[in-house]
């Protein structure tokens, strides 16, 4: 009976160790992914700013060129 309990506890311990290692790997991957997402969000924000400034400049230039006055 004790041998059976020891075997079961060994199985449970092994599963727990494997699960713990998997969780550590997943945490590491999530940290890496979050870093990439932050980098992409910053890049998109910069592109939106540049596009907005460019569009404003273009509209202002066209308004000046066509002689619109405020």
């Amino acid at each position: 009976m004790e041998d059976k309990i020891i075997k079961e506890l060994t199985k449970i311990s092994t599963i727990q160790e494997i699960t713990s290692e998997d969780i550590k790997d997943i945490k590491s991957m999530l940290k890496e992914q979050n870093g990439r997402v932050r980098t992409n969000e910053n890049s998109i924000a910069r592109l939106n700013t540049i596009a907005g400034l460019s569009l404003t400049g273009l509209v202002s230039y066209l308004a000046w060129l066509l002689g619109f006055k405020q």
Side-chain angles (χ1 to χ4, degrees):
M1 182 70 175
E2 289 179 9
D3 289 339
K4 188 174 182 179
I5 292 173
I6 290 173
K7 286 180 183 179
E8 289 300 317
L9 288 174
T10 303
K11 285 180 185 177
I12 292 171
S13 177
T14 303
I15 291 170
Q16 185 179 12
E17 288 175 15
I18 292 170
T19 304
S20 177
E21 290 174 11
D22 289 345
I23 289 173
K24 288 178 185 176
D25 290 342
I26 290 170
K27 283 182 180 180
S28 175
M29 287 188 281
L30 280 175
K31 285 181 183 178
E32 183 180 327
Q33 186 66 26
N34 285 341
R36 289 183 192 160
V37 168
R38 253 182 252 111
T39 301
N40 288 340
E41 287 174 345
N42 291 338
S43 297
I44 290 170
R46 281 190 214 117
L47 287 173
N48 285 338
T49 301
I50 291 169
L53 292 173
S54 299
L55 185 61
T56 301
L58 180 63
V59 168
S60 297
Y61 176 72
L62 288 175
W64 173 79
L65 190 63
L66 298 174
F68 289 110
K69 296 182 180 176
Q70 293 181 352

